[in-house]
């Protein structure tokens, strides 16, 4: 459709005119204008809702909201065209078969072996070995080898040595969805462990010998401790209500040597609504501070994030400080349980704070343990009540931790944002379906590509320059301040206002420091080379060789970071109510902008959009966490279609 | 950019030819200027009853007046005290923290101050800024506008010069304004944290433009401390006239500029940025200044380590 306008959300005066395309996988808007062929690409899987608004004199507005929080406002001249686009998008964004998804047609031009290697990058068996299992207390069990015991669990589960197949099967019959207690994390220093399950089918008075034996087995696997914690991550009221439905929670009287604890995290429906309310705040046009703070509090979002974090902290403390094992569950053990176990693991084990380790963590606690990606993130058209931002919340917890501990993570904010992006994108096969069983049936690994391989290949973009493996902050357990600490939880504008360039400064501290780091390294290498040459020269009387200097590239690269300072920093509208103020044009010089375009080519990036984003925190946390918005152009796309480099000119 | 006190128009609409002439000389042929009055239109009009007022259009035809009310005096001090109280309230749950923060209004004041400063800076015309006395919100606006506009005000030395000019010499009554700070129950009539508000705004700028200020948070914290209680004479008294102590005290600037000390206050990321830095004043872009308000409540250890790491990287240790 031609002559479509793409409106800028913050400044309704700025609208780009161009052509709208719909393909089998994307919505594409190509801006008119010879020099700056700015393209905005949006995957259908990313689209969460399409709103056709009332036709005005200027045309028919269409609002597209995305799961990665991009909001696109289009104005289509003809009502009939608008309607056609609307109907098509409705169909395109509600796939019914997996085969319709992008991952089955996406072609990064890798051969079969590379594809296989990509899938092998993360190996869970290796991970449990790293933890020290199997050992005297823990073993691997194949009781679920054909998914016969629990179809949402993996084929290989780790259980206490004293848990026989009989006990496991018996326990599984007493757990919701058959999700029996299994190992999530083992601490070899003190034998304490984190196990996870779903709620017991205890009702008001039912008991199950095997389930009680299972918990005992977990306790016995930690000889130094004479009890285990059982943590129910639901609010007490909800758990009690479940009893009426024949489910519920563990009775301390029936299970010997357990200490039971509720940690009230709300359910998926509350979280879905919370996000919705927060996004409404984000969509307000120039809200007052008051509107913003009230709206944010009303949504409850940060309160929920804190609840998840507090649960993780409790469990990490139990394991690290008390040396006591913990069994965690919620209702079905695939949402809150996953969040809380992975936060706890992150706090406990520095390995999970490395890039590779983080991928492993997600594979372990989310992918293998049957988190319902399809239902939660809407790969296919399904029940809207199943949709919930569960992984988004976990990813935000990680970001909040990064703000408090800027040196502790090997990866940066951009890494988290890209992962969140791909939870919804269906470009790779990792986050499809609802269980390992379903993925194997669909032969995902033979037919799609692994996100981890893609991210790993581009890992230079995802590094945190402040991370040093030998640094005190990166060692051992992280102990976030528990109270008072409300203020420590910040609104993540890099994620929820990701695409609003006016909101974020363009100076990326992370990118700058990475460039500095790289230059220092190159200089050090050069120093070494020169040192050797000097030694050689001193030995023999050879002529000076010209040392190939990478000076050019380095200073250009650094020059890039420097000139980021001089990036077109347009004043926002400070006086929207006083129209007769002479309008100010971005006076920061087009020369700088075009110079920027040239030097940007030097910086390779998996994400073509290099508009440096959120400068989040207090004058310090800024440093580690830079995001860059993917401006609709996906990291793995042909970088010729990169959209946002041209934005600098367009502004 | 000019600053002054309010014109003493009074209830009888007095005129002053000299004042009109002075302002006329500022403008070029055919040029127009703007008066940014930091009081609401209502307050400015009411001021006439006590001898003050605004510039009447008829007498100052080439000056267009804009009102951007900024909080000052008792309400601003209350805002500060409430905020400090909220920050220290350990019983406050996450479900009420944000609304409590909002009810203090401090961040709204930060937003308003930055907005007004940007407005003053944005004009490609001459601007006259005044409130009532010209010693509080006026200085807040003109000083901030210069940090935004002028790269030389963003160097350590330049910033010191700015403070000397726009706050100290300009006659901000430090002695009255920075008497007891937020914990005191005595609500002194003249006490108001304008200078702190200024420092908070500068901190917001440093967050949004991490490369553009030669100094870091530590300098701002030190200035805050010294405005209230100091071993140095720099922030003493209320005006130049009173400040004859200069001969009998040491200067804070002299101390800060010693090489050993200076290093603590420099920003390792600083690169001179010749351009204007326009901050975003959207709520998402402004944050509570943790380093100040939670200074004694939360451990700065991890953040300090991060800065040390940055220093190490930049200096190529």
């Amino acid at each position: 459709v031609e002559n479509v306008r793409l409106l800028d959300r913050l400044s309704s005066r700025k609208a780009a005119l161009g052509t709208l395309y719909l393909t089998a996988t994307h919505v594409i808007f190509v801006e008119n204008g010879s020099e700056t062929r700015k393209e905005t690409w949006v995957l259908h899987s990313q689209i969460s809702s399409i709103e056709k608004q009332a036709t005005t004199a200027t045309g028919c507005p269409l609002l597209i909201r995305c799961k990665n929080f991009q909001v696109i406002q289009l104005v289509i001249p003809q009502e009939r065209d608008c309607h056609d686009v609307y109907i098509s998008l409705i169909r395109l964004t509600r796939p019914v078969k997996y085969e319709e998804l992008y991952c089955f047609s996406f072609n990064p031009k890798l051969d079969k072996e590379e594809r296989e290697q990509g899938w092998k990058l993360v190996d869970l068996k290796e991970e449990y070995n790293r933890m020290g299992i199997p050992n005297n207390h823990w073993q691997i069990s194949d009781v679920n080898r054909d998914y016969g015991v629990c179809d949402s669990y993996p084929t290989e589960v780790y259980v206490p040595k004293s848990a026989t197949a009989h006990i496991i099967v018996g326990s599984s019959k007493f757990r919701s969805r058959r999700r029996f207690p299994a190992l999530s994390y083992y601490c070899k220093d003190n034998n304490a462990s984190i196990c996870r399950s779903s709620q017991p089918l205890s009702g008001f008075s039912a008991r199950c010998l095997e389930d009680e034996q299972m918990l005992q087995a977990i306790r016995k696997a930690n000889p130094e401790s004479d009890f285990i914690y059982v943590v129910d991550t639901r609010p007490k009221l909800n758990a009690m209500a479940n009893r009426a439905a024949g489910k519920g929670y563990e009775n301390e009287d029936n299970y010997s040597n357990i200490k039971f604890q509720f940690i009230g995290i709300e359910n998926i429906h509350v979280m879905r609504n919370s996000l919705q309310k927060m996004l409404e705040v984000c969509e307000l046009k120039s809200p007052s501070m008051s509107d913003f703070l009230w709206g944010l509090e009303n949504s409850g979002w940060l309160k929920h994030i804190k609840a998840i974090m507090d649960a993780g902290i409790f469990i990490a403390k139990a394991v690290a400080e008390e040396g006591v094992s913990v069994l965690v569950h919620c209702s079905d053990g695939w949402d809150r349980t996953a969040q809380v176990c992975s936060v706890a693991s992150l706090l406990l084990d520095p390995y999970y704070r490395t890039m590779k380790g983080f991928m492993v963590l997600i594979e372990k606690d989310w992918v293998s343990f049957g988190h319902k990606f399809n239902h939660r993130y809407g790969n296919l058209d399904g029940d809207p009540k199943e949709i919930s931002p569960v992984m988004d919340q976990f990813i935000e917890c990680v970001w909040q931790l990064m703000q408090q501990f800027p040196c502790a993570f090997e990866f940066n904010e951009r890494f988290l944002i890209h992962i969140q992006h791909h939870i919804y994108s269906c470009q790779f096969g990792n986050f499809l379906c609802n269980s390992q069983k379903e993925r194997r049936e669909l032969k995902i690994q033979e037919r799609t590509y692994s996100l981890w391989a893609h991210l790993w290949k581009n890992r230079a973009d995802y590094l945190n320059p402040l991370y040093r493996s030998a640094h005190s902050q990166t060692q051992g357990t992280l102990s976030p301040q528990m109270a008072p600490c409300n203020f420590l939880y910040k609104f993540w504008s890099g994620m929820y206002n990701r695409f609003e360039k006016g909101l974020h400064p363009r100076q990326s501290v992370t990118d700058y420091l990475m460039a500095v780091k790289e230059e220092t390294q190159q200089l050090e290498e050069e120093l070494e080379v020169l040192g050797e040459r000097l030694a050689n020269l001193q030995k023999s009387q050879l002529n000076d060789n010209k040392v190939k200097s990478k000076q050019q590239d380095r200073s250009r690269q650094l020059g890039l970071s420097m000139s980021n300072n001089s990036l077109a920093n347009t004043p926002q509208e400070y006086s929207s109510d006083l129209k007769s103020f002479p309008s100010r044009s971005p006076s920061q010089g087009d020369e700088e902008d075009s110079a920027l375009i040239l030097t940007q080519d030097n910086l390779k990036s998996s994400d073509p959009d290099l508009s440096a984003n959120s400068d989040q925190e207090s004058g310090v946390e800024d440093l580690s966490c830079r995001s860059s918005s993917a401006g609709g152009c996906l990291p793995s796309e042909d970088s010729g279609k990169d959209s946002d480099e041209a934005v600098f000119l367009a502004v | 950019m000019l600053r002054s006190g309010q014109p003493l128009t009074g209830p009888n609409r007095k005129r002053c030819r000299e004042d009109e002439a002075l302002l006329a000389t500022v403008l070029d042929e055919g040029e127009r200027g703007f008066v940014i009055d930091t009081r609401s239109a209502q307050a400015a009009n009411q001021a006439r009853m006590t001898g003050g007022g605004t510039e009447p259009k008829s007498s100052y035809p080439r000056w267009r007046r804009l009102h951007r009310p900024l909080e000052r005096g008792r309400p601003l001090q209350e805002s500060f005290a409430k905020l400090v109280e909220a920050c220290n309230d350990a019983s406050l749950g996450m479900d009420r923290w944000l609304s409590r923060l909002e009810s203090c209004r401090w961040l709204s004041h930060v937003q308003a101050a930055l907005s007004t400063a940007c407005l003053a800076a944005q004009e490609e015309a001459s601007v006259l800024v005044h409130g009532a006395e010209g010693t509080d919100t006026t200085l807040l606006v003109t000083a901030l506008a210069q940090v935004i506009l002028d790269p030389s005000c963003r160097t350590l030395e330049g910033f010191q010069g700015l403070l000397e000019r726009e706050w100290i010499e300009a006659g901000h009554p430090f002695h009255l304004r920075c008497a007891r700070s937020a914990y005191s129950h005595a609500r002194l009539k003249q006490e108001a944290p304008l200078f702190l508000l200024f420092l908070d705004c500068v901190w917001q700028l440093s967050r949004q433009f991490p490369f553009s200020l030669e100094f870091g948070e530590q300098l701002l914290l030190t200035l805050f401390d010294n405005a209230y209680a100091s071993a140095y004479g720099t922030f003493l008294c209320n005006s130049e006239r009173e400040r004859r102590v200069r001969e009998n005290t040491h200067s804070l600037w002299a101390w800060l500029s010693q090489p050993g000390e200076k290093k603590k206050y420099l920003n390792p990321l600083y690169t001179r940025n010749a351009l204007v830095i326009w901050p975003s004043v959207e709520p998402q872009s402004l944050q509570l200044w943790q380093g100040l308000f939670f200074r004694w409540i939360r451990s700065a250890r991890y953040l300090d380590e991060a800065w040390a790491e940055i220093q190490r990287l930049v200096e190529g240790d």
Side-chain angles (χ1 to χ4, degrees):
Chain A
V1 181
E2 295 183 333
N3 295 316
V4 173
R5 276 182 304 133
L6 174 65
L7 301 184
D8 180 293
R9 206 189 75 78
L10 283 181
S11 161
S12 47
R13 276 186 278 146
K14 289 194 248 175
L17 192 66
T19 308
L20 186 70
Y21 298 88
L22 250 59
T23 71
T25 50
H26 290 80
V27 176
I28 310 170
F29 177 82
V30 182
E31 204 173 303
N32 292 345
S34 44
E35 283 164 29
T36 82
R37 190 185 155 82
K38 181 187 171 206
E39 297 180 2
T40 304
W41 286 57
V42 179
L43 261 179
H44 294 320
S45 352
Q46 284 286 1
I47 296 176
S48 102
S49 73
I50 311 142
E51 196 183 311
K52 197 161 154 261
Q53 295 164 325
T55 309
T56 67
T58 50
C60 197
L62 197 68
L63 187 67
I64 299 176
R65 288 190 182 86
C66 299
K67 301 170 188 174
N68 63 3
F69 314 113
Q70 188 170 16
V71 178
I72 295 170
Q73 174 85 68
L74 298 167
V75 179
I76 299 175
Q78 298 288 343
E79 207 276 337
R80 187 190 39 219
D81 290 333
C82 184
H83 187 73
D84 285 345
V85 169
Y86 175 71
I87 295 294
S88 309
L89 279 180
I90 295 282
R91 174 63 188 88
L92 287 166
T93 59
R94 293 184 188 168
V96 286
K97 290 194 321 256
Y98 279 109
E99 284 71 16
E100 296 179 53
L101 295 177
Y102 185 39
C103 51
F104 291 101
S105 55
F106 168 61
N107 178 13
K109 301 190 180 66
L110 298 172
D111 63 38
K112 182 159 166 287
E113 198 183 303
E114 283 168 309
R115 188 214 299 256
E116 267 174 39
Q117 278 307 107
W119 283 106
K120 294 203 175 104
L121 188 64
V122 172
D123 180 337
L124 284 183
K125 217 188 198 130
E126 234 176 72
E127 168 55 15
Y128 283 99
N129 282 345
R130 185 196 69 87
M131 284 191 226
I133 299 172
N135 64 11
N136 291 338
H137 305 294
W138 295 90
Q139 63 183 353
I140 183 172
S141 167
D142 68 347
V143 71
N144 198 38
R145 64 190 161 278
D146 297 311
Y147 305 105
V149 177
C150 172
D151 64 2
S152 59
Y153 264 9
T155 49
E156 288 172 350
V157 286
Y158 293 79
V159 294
K161 259 272 163 60
S162 55
T164 61
H166 172 76
I167 290 177
I168 296 172
V169 173
S171 168
S172 79
K173 294 192 176 132
F174 195 63
R175 293 276 164 180
S176 174
R177 319 279 182 176
R178 315 285 227 95
R179 292 169 67 88
F180 57 88
L183 181 72
S184 164
Y185 179 72
Y186 170 71
C187 178
K188 60 173 169 274
D189 295 337
N190 61 12
N191 288 318
S193 65
I194 304 176
C195 292
R196 54 184 289 182
S197 71
S198 59
Q199 65 183 320
L201 303 177
S202 50
F204 287 100
S205 57
R207 292 180 69 160
C208 167
L209 180 64
E210 289 83 10
D211 193 69
E212 290 168 29
Q213 288 173 331
M214 188 70 186
L215 267 64
Q216 274 194 42
I218 293 174
R219 181 179 54 80
K220 282 191 277 185
N222 183 4
E224 304 292 307
S225 173
D226 52 13
F227 73 98
I228 64 169
Y229 281 111
V230 175
V231 169
D232 187 331
T233 58
R234 298 170 292 180
K236 183 167 181 177
L237 225 56
N238 297 24
M240 287 174 65
N242 265 283
R243 285 193 301 178
K247 304 181 201 173
Y249 53 94
E250 293 81 351
N251 185 337
E252 274 181 2
D253 296 333
N254 298 341
Y255 290 83
S256 56
N257 302 315
I258 70 165
K259 278 198 191 147
F260 186 84
Q261 183 96 16
F262 280 114
I263 302 190
I265 303 174
E266 301 288 350
N267 64 32
I268 57 166
H269 310 294
V270 173
M271 302 309 194
R272 181 177 59 248
N273 289 329
S274 176
L275 178 63
Q276 182 56 39
K277 286 213 189 111
M278 186 171 72
L279 293 179
E280 280 164 22
V281 176
C282 295
E283 277 192 37
L284 295 173
K285 291 218 187 329
S286 286
S288 67
M289 184 61 74
S290 191
D291 292 336
F292 178 71
L293 290 174
W294 270 107
L296 192 55
E297 182 168 275
N298 245 338
S299 74
W301 182 258
L302 289 177
K303 181 184 72 170
H304 299 312
I305 297 290
K306 180 170 187 288
I308 297 165
M309 192 79 92
D310 285 345
I313 293 172
F314 175 85
I315 293 168
K317 274 202 160 81
V319 169
E321 291 173 21
E322 296 180 60
V324 174
S325 295
V326 185
L327 170 65
V328 190
H329 70 77
C330 45
S331 297
D332 294 322
W334 47 38
D335 293 313
R336 288 164 280 194
T337 303
Q339 290 173 325
V340 155
C341 288
S342 31
V343 169
S345 302
L346 208 52
L347 293 169
L348 285 168
D349 194 334
Y351 175 65
Y352 298 125
R353 293 175 234 139
T354 63
M355 207 178 289
K356 179 87 185 301
F358 192 68
M359 299 180 189
V360 168
L361 181 66
I362 294 180
E363 274 297 318
K364 178 168 69 77
D365 275 311
W366 296 84
V367 179
S368 80
F369 269 102
H371 178 67
K372 298 197 297 172
F373 288 98
N374 177 28
H375 281 177
R376 292 288 173 266
Y377 313 112
N379 305 156
L380 301 180
D381 191 35
D383 181 1
K385 291 214 163 44
E386 291 274 358
I387 303 276
S388 192
V390 185
M391 256 217 103
D392 305 60
Q393 286 183 322
F394 164 64
I395 288 173
E396 177 162 345
C397 286
V398 182
W399 180 79
Q400 298 284 357
L401 279 173
M402 278 169 135
Q403 302 311 297
Q404 295 184 39
F405 301 95
C407 300
F409 292 83
E410 190 189 26
F411 47 87
N412 62 27
E413 185 186 30
R414 183 182 292 141
F415 188 61
L416 294 178
I417 292 188
H418 285 194
I419 291 178
Q420 191 270 358
H421 180 96
H422 286 299
I423 306 270
Y424 293 98
S425 76
C426 300
Q427 186 170 341
F428 298 92
N430 309 62
F431 305 132
L432 290 185
C433 308
N434 285 330
S435 65
Q436 191 192 73
K437 176 168 187 263
E438 285 182 24
R439 280 185 290 274
R440 288 202 182 159
E441 280 165 4
L442 275 174
K443 297 201 191 326
I444 293 294
Q445 293 198 3
E446 286 110 86
R447 299 161 72 192
T448 68
Y449 294 86
S450 169
L451 171 66
W452 303 138
H454 168 77
L455 294 176
W456 188 252
K457 194 165 67 150
N458 293 304
R459 60 189 175 282
D461 295 336
Y462 300 124
L463 290 172
N464 169 18
L466 299 182
Y467 177 80
R468 260 191 307 154
S469 52
H471 196 280
S472 67
Q473 218 178 97
T474 67
Q475 314 273 337
T477 313
L478 287 185
S479 305
Q481 190 162 341
M482 285 249 11
C485 60
N486 297 327
F487 55 87
L488 290 173
Y489 290 90
K490 305 194 169 80
F491 172 76
W492 191 4
S493 70
M495 171 66 85
Y496 304 110
N497 291 122
R498 184 178 165 192
F499 296 94
E500 287 174 56
K501 299 185 170 57
L503 227 45
H504 308 299
R506 300 188 179 227
Q507 305 183 314
S508 167
V509 177
T510 295
D511 290 342
Y512 171 73
L513 290 174
M514 283 309 299
V516 167
K517 215 170 172 172
E518 209 179 299
E519 196 213 18
T520 306
Q521 223 170 327
Q522 286 173 343
L523 284 172
E524 279 169 7
E525 285 166 21
E526 212 176 285
L527 199 64
E528 242 182 81
V529 169
L530 286 172
E532 282 170 28
R533 282 182 198 271
L534 193 62
N536 286 339
L537 279 174
Q538 284 167 346
K539 280 193 218 145
S540 69
Q541 295 296 321
L542 293 170
N543 287 330
D544 277 335
N545 290 323
K546 271 218 190 81
V547 174
K548 205 171 16 169
S549 165
K550 298 197 198 101
Q551 218 90 42
Q552 196 69 16
D553 293 330
R554 264 204 304 283
S555 57
R556 261 160 109 202
Q557 218 177 32
L558 261 183
L560 166 71
S561 317
M562 300 304 192
S563 64
N564 260 336
N565 290 359
S566 58
L567 260 187
N569 173 230
T570 324
Q572 66 172 91
E573 287 169 23
Y574 297 112
S575 62
S576 44
D577 47 299
L578 293 162
K579 303 263 182 331
S580 42
F581 251 64
S583 66
R584 182 141 172 95
S585 55
S587 61
Q588 269 62 20
D590 291 328
E591 283 93 21
E592 272 102 0
D593 295 303
S594 30
L596 181 69
I597 300 302
L598 291 178
T599 51
Q600 273 212 358
D601 290 339
N602 294 339
L603 259 195
K604 76 168 162 59
S605 167
S606 62
D607 183 349
D609 173 11
L610 293 171
S611 67
N613 258 341
S614 51
D615 173 290
Q616 295 306 321
E617 302 327 311
S618 75
V620 182
E621 286 107 51
D622 297 334
L623 338 167
S624 46
C625 309
R626 295 339 254 151
S627 73
S628 85
S629 64
C633 189
L634 299 167
S636 58
E637 289 288 53
D638 179 1
S639 55
K641 293 189 193 55
D642 134 50
S643 52
D644 286 85
E645 282 175 15
V647 168
F648 300 119
L649 278 184
V651 161
Chain B
M1 194 177 302
L2 303 134
R3 52 175 160 78
S4 70
Q6 64 181 321
L8 300 174
T9 324
N12 299 323
R13 295 178 192 277
K14 274 195 290 187
R15 284 184 71 164
C16 171
R17 308 284 169 184
E18 290 88 344
D19 192 74
E20 292 164 31
L22 184 59
L23 284 184
T25 60
V26 170
L27 298 176
D28 286 338
E29 189 74 41
E31 206 196 339
R32 298 187 54 189
F34 292 87
V35 174
I36 294 181
D37 191 326
T38 60
R39 302 165 295 177
S40 65
Q42 195 185 39
N45 265 324
Q46 271 171 6
R48 278 177 35 217
M49 299 309 143
T50 48
T54 58
E55 295 81 353
K57 186 106 182 118
S58 46
S59 318
Y60 300 83
R62 292 197 285 149
W63 291 88
R64 170 116 192 281
R65 182 165 26 104
L66 299 155
H67 289 276
R68 302 294 280 179
L70 294 179
E71 199 68 87
R72 79 202 67 208
R74 180 76 67 86
L76 191 65
Q77 184 66 15
E78 279 299 319
S79 173
F80 177 39
K82 278 172 86 171
L83 176 58
V84 171
E85 202 184 305
C87 292
N88 283 295
D89 188 350
S91 74
L92 204 48
M94 192 65 207
D95 53 342
R96 286 176 306 131
W97 160 246
L98 291 173
S99 54
R100 179 83 177 265
L101 179 60
E102 192 284 324
S103 71
C104 302
R105 315 261 325 132
W106 181 259
L107 286 174
S108 298
H109 300 320
V110 171
Q111 185 184 41
L114 276 172
S115 259
T116 308
C118 286
L119 209 61
Q122 207 173 12
E123 281 325 299
E124 282 158 350
S126 295
V127 171
L128 168 66
V129 184
H130 72 75
E133 263 104 72
T135 54
D136 293 278
T137 53
T138 305
L139 304 181
L140 177 59
V141 172
T142 56
L144 261 182
Q146 286 176 67
V147 177
I148 290 169
L149 283 169
D150 187 353
S152 66
C153 290
R154 296 180 223 134
T155 63
L156 184 56
E157 213 177 286
F159 189 67
Q160 286 171 6
L162 177 72
L163 293 177
E164 273 287 333
R165 275 194 324 276
E166 294 300 310
W167 285 92
I168 298 172
E169 284 168 20
H172 180 71
F174 278 97
H175 184 66
L176 289 171
R177 296 286 179 267
C178 301
R180 302 283 178 84
S181 192
Y183 289 108
S184 164
H185 288 294
R187 295 284 195 255
L188 302 174
K189 189 156 175 247
Q190 290 281 352
E191 173 124 31
L194 270 312
F195 188 58
L196 170 60
L197 186 54
F198 168 71
L199 295 175
D200 195 326
C201 291
V202 175
W203 180 80
Q204 305 287 346
L205 289 172
S206 77
R207 238 186 34 87
Q208 295 194 27
F209 298 96
F211 296 93
S212 300
L213 299 181
E214 194 185 19
F215 48 90
E217 186 182 44
Q218 195 51 49
L219 179 72
L220 301 175
L221 290 172
T222 303
L223 289 170
F224 170 70
D225 290 340
N226 279 276
Y228 283 88
S230 182
Y232 302 89
T234 307
F235 290 104
L236 275 186
C237 309
N238 289 318
S239 64
E240 275 300 275
R241 205 171 103 185
E242 290 180 22
R243 213 167 276 124
R244 275 190 262 271
V245 298
R246 210 139 271 188
E247 293 92 60
N248 300 329
T249 60
H250 294 284
S251 157
L252 177 63
W253 309 135
W255 178 62
L256 290 180
S257 59
Q258 292 173 96
E261 280 301 307
K262 191 169 171 180
K263 197 170 146 103
K264 275 198 277 177
Y265 303 105
L266 291 175
N267 169 16
L269 294 171
Y270 176 65
T271 333
R272 189 188 148 82
N273 175 1
L275 300 175
V276 179
I277 53 173
W278 298 111
S280 160
V281 297
E282 296 294 323
Q284 294 95 317
S285 308
L286 302 174
Q287 284 192 12
L288 186 58
W289 186 3
Q290 282 196 18
L292 184 108
F293 293 104
F294 295 102
R295 202 166 168 192
W296 314 114
I297 300 174
R298 67 114 169 86
S299 160
R301 174 181 154 202
Y302 302 112
L303 304 181
D304 290 342
E305 281 177 8
W307 273 112
E309 191 59 31
I310 293 182
Q311 196 109 28
R312 199 189 68 88
L313 279 177
V314 171
E315 284 163 17
D317 229 324

